[in-house]
Amino acid sequence: MAPTATGIADQNRAGAAPSAPGRGRGAAAALWGAVLAPFAALAAAVPLAWGRGLCWVDVVVAAGAYAIAGLGVTSSAACTARRRSSG
């Protein structure tokens, strides 16, 4: 397997089995539904809860925690990739 420019080895797909029949649009729709449903629920819940327990402080704390968690996951993945390529 030859490494790519990013250092990740390409997989040999010549002997890969074809995708299962019937897993086309339905699987894609289920995937998009699972990805978008939480955001739609959040968008619906915020106006309902605003003023009844949800305020700007809550939004700032949630955004800060989201940013810290996102940076932690990103930096952890970058550090792991650096360690694997150097050793």
Side-chain angles (χ1 to χ4, degrees):
M1 290 186 270
T4 62
T6 60
I8 300 172
D10 290 328
Q11 294 182 358
N12 183 4
R13 300 195 186 272
S19 62
R23 291 203 178 184
R25 291 185 182 167
L31 173 69
W32 279 107
V35 169
L36 296 177
F39 293 108
L42 179 65
V46 168
L48 293 173
W50 197 262
R52 291 181 229 144
L54 186 67
C55 65
W56 284 110
V57 174
D58 300 316
V59 173
V60 170
V61 169
Y66 182 81
I68 290 170
L71 290 173
V73 169
T74 304
S75 63
S76 173
C79 290
T80 303
R82 238 181 274 128
R83 272 190 239 125
R84 286 184 181 167
S85 66
S86 66

Coordinates of all heavy atoms in Angstrom, one line a residue:
M1 N 0.8 -1.2 0.0 CA 0.0 0.0 0.0 C 0.9 1.2 0.0 O 1.7 1.4 0.9 CB -0.9 0.0 1.2 CG -2.0 -1.0 1.2 SD -3.1 -0.9 2.6 CE -2.3 -1.9 3.8
A2 N 0.6 2.1 -0.9 CA 1.4 3.3 -1.1 C 0.8 4.4 -0.2 O -0.4 4.6 -0.2 CB 1.5 3.8 -2.5
P3 N 1.7 5.2 0.5 CA 1.1 6.3 1.4 C 0.7 7.4 0.5 O 1.3 7.6 -0.6 CB 2.3 6.6 2.3 CG 3.5 6.1 1.6 CD 3.1 5.0 0.8
T4 N -0.3 8.1 0.9 CA -0.8 9.3 0.2 C 0.0 10.5 0.7 O 0.8 10.4 1.6 CB -2.3 9.5 0.4 OG1 -2.5 9.7 1.8 CG2 -3.0 8.3 -0.1
A5 N -0.4 11.7 0.2 CA 0.3 12.9 0.7 C 0.0 13.2 2.1 O 0.8 13.9 2.8 CB -0.2 14.1 -0.2
T6 N -1.1 12.7 2.7 CA -1.4 13.0 4.1 C -0.8 12.0 5.0 O -0.8 12.1 6.2 CB -2.9 13.0 4.3 OG1 -3.4 11.7 3.9 CG2 -3.6 14.1 3.5
G7 N -0.1 10.9 4.4 CA 0.5 9.9 5.3 C -0.4 8.8 5.6 O 0.0 7.9 6.3
I8 N -1.6 8.7 5.1 CA -2.5 7.7 5.3 C -2.4 6.7 4.1 O -2.5 7.1 3.0 CB -3.9 8.2 5.5 CG1 -4.0 9.1 6.7 CG2 -4.9 7.0 5.7 CD1 -5.3 9.8 6.8
A9 N -2.3 5.4 4.4 CA -2.1 4.4 3.4 C -3.4 4.2 2.7 O -4.5 4.2 3.3 CB -1.6 3.1 4.0
D10 N -3.3 4.1 1.3 CA -4.5 3.8 0.5 C -4.8 2.4 0.7 O -4.0 1.5 0.7 CB -4.3 4.1 -0.9 CG -4.2 5.6 -1.2 OD1 -4.8 6.4 -0.5 OD2 -3.4 6.0 -2.1
Q11 N -6.1 2.0 0.7 CA -6.5 0.6 0.8 C -6.7 0.1 -0.6 O -7.2 0.8 -1.5 CB -7.8 0.5 1.6 CG -7.7 0.9 3.0 CD -9.0 0.7 3.7 OE1 -10.0 0.3 3.2 NE2 -9.0 1.0 5.0
N12 N -6.4 -1.2 -0.8 CA -6.5 -1.8 -2.1 C -8.0 -2.2 -2.2 O -8.5 -3.0 -1.5 CB -5.7 -3.1 -2.2 CG -5.8 -3.7 -3.5 OD1 -6.4 -3.2 -4.4 ND2 -5.1 -4.8 -3.6
R13 N -8.7 -1.6 -3.1 CA -10.1 -1.8 -3.3 C -10.5 -2.7 -4.5 O -11.6 -2.8 -4.8 CB -10.8 -0.4 -3.4 CG -10.6 0.5 -2.2 CD -11.6 1.6 -2.2 NE -11.4 2.5 -1.2 CZ -11.9 2.4 0.0 NH1 -12.6 1.4 0.3 NH2 -11.6 3.3 0.9
A14 N -9.5 -3.3 -5.1 CA -9.7 -4.1 -6.2 C -10.6 -5.3 -5.9 O -11.5 -5.7 -6.6 CB -8.4 -4.6 -6.9
G15 N -10.4 -5.9 -4.7 CA -11.2 -7.1 -4.3 C -12.3 -6.8 -3.4 O -12.9 -7.7 -2.8
A16 N -12.7 -5.5 -3.3 CA -13.8 -5.1 -2.3 C -15.1 -5.6 -2.9 O -15.3 -5.6 -4.1 CB -13.8 -3.6 -2.2
A17 N -15.9 -6.0 -2.0 CA -17.3 -6.5 -2.4 C -18.1 -5.3 -2.8 O -18.0 -4.2 -2.2 CB -17.9 -7.3 -1.2
P18 N -19.1 -5.5 -3.7 CA -20.0 -4.4 -4.1 C -20.9 -4.1 -2.9 O -21.1 -4.9 -2.1 CB -20.7 -4.9 -5.3 CG -20.6 -6.4 -5.2 CD -19.3 -6.7 -4.5
S19 N -21.4 -2.9 -2.9 CA -22.3 -2.5 -1.8 C -23.6 -3.3 -1.9 O -24.0 -3.8 -2.9 CB -22.6 -1.0 -1.9 OG -23.3 -0.7 -3.1
A20 N -24.2 -3.5 -0.7 CA -25.4 -4.3 -0.6 C -26.5 -3.7 -1.4 O -26.7 -2.5 -1.4 CB -25.8 -4.5 0.8
P21 N -27.3 -4.5 -2.1 CA -28.5 -4.0 -2.8 C -29.5 -3.3 -1.9 O -29.7 -3.8 -0.8 CB -29.0 -5.2 -3.6 CG -28.5 -6.4 -2.8 CD -27.2 -5.9 -2.2
G22 N -30.1 -2.3 -2.4 CA -31.1 -1.6 -1.6 C -30.6 -0.6 -0.6 O -31.3 -0.1 0.3
R23 N -29.3 -0.3 -0.6 CA -28.8 0.6 0.3 C -28.3 1.9 -0.4 O -27.2 2.3 -0.3 CB -27.5 0.0 1.0 CG -27.9 -1.1 2.0 CD -26.8 -1.2 3.0 NE -27.2 -2.2 3.9 CZ -26.5 -2.6 5.0 NH1 -25.4 -2.0 5.2 NH2 -26.9 -3.5 5.8
G24 N -29.2 2.5 -1.1 CA -29.0 3.7 -1.8 C -29.5 4.9 -1.1 O -29.0 5.4 -0.2
R25 N -30.7 5.3 -1.7 CA -31.3 6.6 -1.2 C -31.8 6.4 0.2 O -31.8 7.4 1.0 CB -32.4 6.9 -2.1 CG -31.9 7.4 -3.4 CD -33.1 7.9 -4.3 NE -32.5 8.3 -5.6 CZ -33.3 8.5 -6.6 NH1 -34.6 8.4 -6.5 NH2 -32.8 8.9 -7.8
G26 N -32.3 5.2 0.6 CA -32.8 5.0 1.9 C -31.8 5.2 3.0 O -32.0 5.8 4.0
A27 N -30.6 4.6 2.8 CA -29.5 4.8 3.7 C -29.0 6.2 3.8 O -28.7 6.7 4.9 CB -28.3 3.9 3.3
A28 N -29.0 6.9 2.7 CA -28.5 8.3 2.7 C -29.6 9.2 3.4 O -29.2 10.0 4.2 CB -28.4 8.8 1.2
A29 N -30.8 8.9 3.2 CA -31.9 9.6 3.9 C -31.8 9.4 5.4 O -31.9 10.3 6.2 CB -33.2 9.3 3.4
A30 N -31.6 8.2 5.8 CA -31.5 7.9 7.2 C -30.2 8.5 7.8 O -30.3 9.1 9.0 CB -31.4 6.4 7.4
L31 N -29.1 8.6 7.1 CA -27.9 9.2 7.6 C -28.2 10.7 7.8 O -27.9 11.3 8.8 CB -26.8 9.0 6.6 CG -25.5 9.8 6.9 CD1 -24.9 9.2 8.2 CD2 -24.6 9.7 5.8
W32 N -28.7 11.4 6.8 CA -29.0 12.8 6.9 C -30.0 13.1 8.0 O -29.9 14.1 8.7 CB -29.5 13.4 5.5 CG -28.3 13.6 4.6 CD1 -27.9 12.9 3.5 CD2 -27.3 14.6 4.8 NE1 -26.8 13.4 3.0 CE2 -26.4 14.5 3.7 CE3 -27.1 15.7 5.7 CZ2 -25.3 15.3 3.6 CZ3 -26.0 16.5 5.6 CH2 -25.1 16.3 4.5
G33 N -31.0 12.3 8.1 CA -32.0 12.4 9.2 C -31.3 12.4 10.6 O -31.6 13.2 11.5
A34 N -30.4 11.4 10.7 CA -29.7 11.2 12.0 C -28.8 12.4 12.3 O -28.5 12.8 13.4 CB -29.0 9.9 12.1
V35 N -28.2 13.0 11.2 CA -27.3 14.1 11.4 C -28.1 15.4 11.7 O -27.7 16.2 12.6 CB -26.4 14.3 10.2 CG1 -25.6 15.6 10.2 CG2 -25.4 13.1 10.1
L36 N -29.2 15.6 11.0 CA -29.9 16.9 11.1 C -30.9 17.0 12.2 O -31.2 18.1 12.6 CB -30.5 17.2 9.7 CG -29.5 17.4 8.6 CD1 -30.3 17.7 7.3 CD2 -28.6 18.6 8.8
A37 N -31.4 15.9 12.6 CA -32.5 15.9 13.6 C -32.1 16.5 14.9 O -32.8 17.3 15.5 CB -33.0 14.4 13.9
P38 N -30.9 16.3 15.5 CA -30.5 17.0 16.7 C -30.4 18.5 16.6 O -30.8 19.2 17.5 CB -29.1 16.4 17.0 CG -29.1 15.1 16.4 CD -29.9 15.2 15.1
F39 N -29.9 18.9 15.4 CA -29.9 20.4 15.2 C -31.3 21.0 15.1 O -31.5 22.1 15.6 CB -29.0 20.7 14.0 CG -27.6 20.4 14.1 CD1 -27.0 19.3 13.5 CD2 -26.8 21.1 15.0 CE1 -25.7 19.0 13.6 CE2 -25.4 20.8 15.1 CZ -24.9 19.7 14.5
A40 N -32.2 20.3 14.4 CA -33.5 20.7 14.3 C -34.2 20.8 15.7 O -34.9 21.7 16.0 CB -34.3 19.8 13.4
A41 N -34.0 19.8 16.5 CA -34.5 19.7 17.9 C -34.0 20.9 18.7 O -34.7 21.5 19.5 CB -34.2 18.4 18.5
L42 N -32.7 21.2 18.6 CA -32.1 22.3 19.3 C -32.7 23.6 18.9 O -33.1 24.5 19.7 CB -30.6 22.3 19.1 CG -29.9 23.5 19.8 CD1 -30.0 23.3 21.4 CD2 -28.4 23.5 19.4
A43 N -32.9 23.8 17.5 CA -33.4 25.0 17.0 C -34.9 25.2 17.5 O -35.3 26.3 17.7 CB -33.4 25.0 15.5
A44 N -35.6 24.1 17.7 CA -37.0 24.2 18.1 C -37.1 24.4 19.6 O -38.0 25.1 20.1 CB -37.8 22.9 17.8
A45 N -36.1 23.9 20.4 CA -36.1 23.9 21.9 C -35.7 25.3 22.4 O -36.2 25.8 23.4 CB -35.3 22.8 22.5
V46 N -34.8 26.0 21.7 CA -34.3 27.2 22.3 C -35.3 28.3 22.4 O -35.5 28.9 23.4 CB -33.0 27.7 21.4 CG1 -32.7 29.1 21.8 CG2 -31.9 26.8 21.7
P47 N -36.1 28.5 21.3 CA -37.2 29.6 21.5 C -38.2 29.2 22.5 O -38.8 30.1 23.2 CB -37.9 29.6 20.1 CG -36.9 29.0 19.2 CD -36.1 28.1 19.9
L48 N -38.5 27.9 22.7 CA -39.5 27.5 23.7 C -38.9 27.7 25.1 O -39.7 28.0 26.0 CB -39.8 26.0 23.5 CG -40.6 25.7 22.2 CD1 -40.8 24.2 22.0 CD2 -42.0 26.4 22.2
A49 N -37.6 27.5 25.3 CA -37.1 27.6 26.7 C -36.5 29.0 27.0 O -36.2 29.2 28.2 CB -35.9 26.5 26.8
W50 N -36.4 29.8 26.0 CA -35.8 31.2 26.3 C -36.7 31.9 27.3 O -37.9 32.1 27.1 CB -35.7 32.0 25.0 CG -34.8 33.1 25.1 CD1 -35.1 34.4 25.4 CD2 -33.4 33.0 25.1 NE1 -34.0 35.1 25.5 CE2 -32.9 34.3 25.3 CE3 -32.4 32.0 24.9 CZ2 -31.5 34.6 25.4 CZ3 -31.1 32.3 24.9 CH2 -30.6 33.6 25.2
G51 N -36.1 32.4 28.3 CA -36.8 33.2 29.3 C -37.4 32.3 30.4 O -37.8 32.8 31.5
R52 N -37.4 31.0 30.2 CA -37.9 30.1 31.2 C -36.8 29.1 31.7 O -37.0 27.9 31.7 CB -39.0 29.2 30.6 CG -40.3 30.0 30.4 CD -41.4 29.1 29.8 NE -41.9 29.8 28.7 CZ -42.3 29.2 27.5 NH1 -42.2 27.9 27.4 NH2 -42.8 29.9 26.6
G53 N -35.7 29.7 31.9 CA -34.5 28.9 32.4 C -33.3 28.9 31.4 O -32.3 28.4 31.8
L54 N -33.5 29.5 30.3 CA -32.4 29.6 29.3 C -32.1 31.1 29.1 O -33.0 31.8 28.8 CB -32.8 28.9 28.0 CG -31.7 28.8 27.0 CD1 -30.6 27.9 27.4 CD2 -32.2 28.3 25.6
C55 N -30.9 31.5 29.3 CA -30.5 32.9 29.0 C -29.1 32.9 28.4 O -28.6 31.9 28.0 CB -30.5 33.6 30.4 SG -29.2 33.0 31.5
W56 N -28.6 34.1 28.2 CA -27.3 34.3 27.5 C -26.2 33.6 28.2 O -25.3 33.1 27.5 CB -27.0 35.8 27.3 CG -27.8 36.4 26.2 CD1 -28.8 37.3 26.4 CD2 -27.8 36.1 24.8 NE1 -29.4 37.6 25.2 CE2 -28.7 36.9 24.2 CE3 -26.9 35.3 24.1 CZ2 -28.9 36.8 22.8 CZ3 -27.1 35.3 22.7 CH2 -28.1 36.0 22.1
V57 N -26.2 33.5 29.5 CA -25.1 32.9 30.2 C -25.1 31.4 29.8 O -24.0 30.8 29.6 CB -25.3 33.0 31.8 CG1 -24.3 32.2 32.5 CG2 -25.3 34.5 32.1
D58 N -26.2 30.8 29.7 CA -26.3 29.4 29.3 C -25.7 29.2 27.9 O -25.0 28.2 27.6 CB -27.7 28.9 29.4 CG -28.3 28.9 30.8 OD1 -27.6 28.6 31.7 OD2 -29.5 29.4 30.9
V59 N -26.1 30.1 27.0 CA -25.6 30.0 25.6 C -24.1 30.1 25.6 O -23.4 29.4 24.9 CB -26.3 31.1 24.7 CG1 -25.7 31.1 23.3 CG2 -27.8 30.8 24.7
V60 N -23.5 31.1 26.3 CA -22.1 31.3 26.4 C -21.3 30.1 26.9 O -20.3 29.7 26.4 CB -21.7 32.6 27.1 CG1 -20.2 32.7 27.4 CG2 -22.3 33.8 26.4
V61 N -21.9 29.6 28.0 CA -21.2 28.4 28.6 C -21.3 27.2 27.7 O -20.3 26.5 27.5 CB -21.9 28.0 30.0 CG1 -21.5 26.7 30.5 CG2 -21.6 29.1 31.0
A62 N -22.4 27.0 27.0 CA -22.5 25.9 26.1 C -21.6 26.1 24.9 O -20.9 25.1 24.4 CB -24.0 25.7 25.6
A63 N -21.5 27.3 24.4 CA -20.6 27.5 23.2 C -19.1 27.3 23.6 O -18.3 26.8 22.9 CB -20.8 28.9 22.7
G64 N -18.8 27.8 24.8 CA -17.4 27.6 25.3 C -17.1 26.1 25.5 O -16.0 25.7 25.1
A65 N -18.0 25.4 26.1 CA -17.7 23.9 26.3 C -17.6 23.2 24.9 O -16.8 22.3 24.7 CB -18.9 23.3 27.1
Y66 N -18.5 23.6 24.0 CA -18.4 23.0 22.6 C -17.1 23.3 21.9 O -16.5 22.4 21.3 CB -19.6 23.6 21.8 CG -19.7 23.0 20.4 CD1 -20.3 21.8 20.2 CD2 -19.2 23.7 19.3 CE1 -20.4 21.2 18.9 CE2 -19.3 23.2 18.0 CZ -19.9 22.0 17.8 OH -20.0 21.4 16.6
A67 N -16.6 24.6 22.1 CA -15.3 24.9 21.5 C -14.2 24.2 22.1 O -13.3 23.7 21.4 CB -15.1 26.4 21.6
I68 N -14.2 24.1 23.4 CA -13.1 23.4 24.1 C -13.1 21.9 23.7 O -12.0 21.3 23.5 CB -13.2 23.6 25.6 CG1 -12.9 25.0 26.0 CG2 -12.3 22.6 26.4 CD1 -13.3 25.4 27.5
A69 N -14.3 21.3 23.7 CA -14.3 19.9 23.3 C -13.9 19.7 21.9 O -13.1 18.8 21.6 CB -15.7 19.4 23.5
G70 N -14.3 20.6 21.0 CA -13.9 20.5 19.6 C -12.4 20.7 19.4 O -11.8 19.9 18.6
L71 N -11.8 21.6 20.1 CA -10.4 21.8 20.0 C -9.6 20.6 20.6 O -8.6 20.2 20.1 CB -10.0 23.1 20.7 CG -10.4 24.4 20.0 CD1 -10.1 25.6 20.9 CD2 -9.8 24.5 18.7
G72 N -10.2 20.1 21.7 CA -9.5 18.9 22.3 C -9.5 17.7 21.4 O -8.5 17.0 21.2
V73 N -10.6 17.5 20.7 CA -10.7 16.3 19.7 C -9.7 16.6 18.6 O -9.0 15.7 18.1 CB -12.1 16.1 19.3 CG1 -12.2 15.2 18.1 CG2 -13.0 15.6 20.4
T74 N -9.7 17.8 18.1 CA -8.9 18.2 16.9 C -7.4 18.1 17.2 O -6.6 17.5 16.5 CB -9.2 19.6 16.4 OG1 -10.6 19.6 16.1 CG2 -8.4 19.9 15.2
S75 N -7.0 18.7 18.4 CA -5.6 18.6 18.7 C -5.2 17.2 19.1 O -4.0 16.9 18.8 CB -5.3 19.6 19.9 OG -6.0 19.2 21.0
S76 N -6.0 16.4 19.7 CA -5.7 15.1 20.0 C -5.4 14.3 18.8 O -4.5 13.5 18.7 CB -6.8 14.4 20.9 OG -6.5 13.1 21.1
A77 N -6.3 14.4 17.8 CA -6.1 13.7 16.5 C -4.8 14.2 15.8 O -4.1 13.3 15.3 CB -7.3 13.9 15.6
A78 N -4.5 15.5 15.9 CA -3.3 16.0 15.2 C -2.1 15.4 15.9 O -1.1 15.0 15.3 CB -3.3 17.5 15.2
C79 N -2.1 15.4 17.3 CA -0.9 14.9 18.0 C -0.7 13.4 17.8 O 0.4 12.9 17.6 CB -1.1 15.1 19.5 SG -1.0 16.9 20.0
T80 N -1.8 12.7 17.7 CA -1.7 11.2 17.4 C -1.1 11.0 16.1 O -0.2 10.1 15.9 CB -3.1 10.6 17.5 OG1 -3.6 10.8 18.8 CG2 -3.0 9.1 17.3
A81 N -1.5 11.7 15.1 CA -1.0 11.6 13.7 C 0.5 11.9 13.7 O 1.2 11.3 13.0 CB -1.8 12.5 12.7
R82 N 0.8 13.0 14.4 CA 2.2 13.4 14.4 C 3.1 12.3 15.1 O 4.2 12.0 14.6 CB 2.4 14.7 15.2 CG 3.1 15.8 14.3 CD 3.2 17.1 15.1 NE 2.0 17.8 15.0 CZ 1.4 18.3 16.0 NH1 1.8 18.2 17.2 NH2 0.2 19.0 15.8
R83 N 2.6 11.7 16.2 CA 3.4 10.7 16.9 C 3.5 9.4 16.0 O 4.6 8.8 16.0 CB 2.7 10.3 18.1 CG 3.1 11.1 19.3 CD 2.6 10.5 20.6 NE 1.7 11.6 21.2 CZ 0.5 11.5 21.6 NH1 -0.1 10.4 21.4 NH2 -0.2 12.5 22.1
R84 N 2.5 9.1 15.2 CA 2.6 7.9 14.4 C 3.5 8.1 13.2 O 4.2 7.2 12.8 CB 1.2 7.5 13.8 CG 0.3 6.9 14.9 CD -1.0 6.5 14.3 NE -1.9 5.9 15.4 CZ -3.1 5.7 15.2 NH1 -3.7 6.0 14.1 NH2 -3.8 5.2 16.2
S85 N 3.6 9.3 12.7 CA 4.4 9.5 11.5 C 5.9 9.7 11.9 O 6.8 9.5 11.1 CB 3.9 10.8 10.7 OG 4.1 11.9 11.5
S86 N 6.1 10.1 13.2 CA 7.5 10.4 13.6 C 8.2 9.1 14.1 O 9.4 9.0 14.2 CB 7.6 11.5 14.6 OG 7.0 11.0 15.8
G87 N 7.4 8.1 14.5 CA 8.0 6.9 15.2 C 8.0 5.8 14.3 O 8.6 4.9 14.1

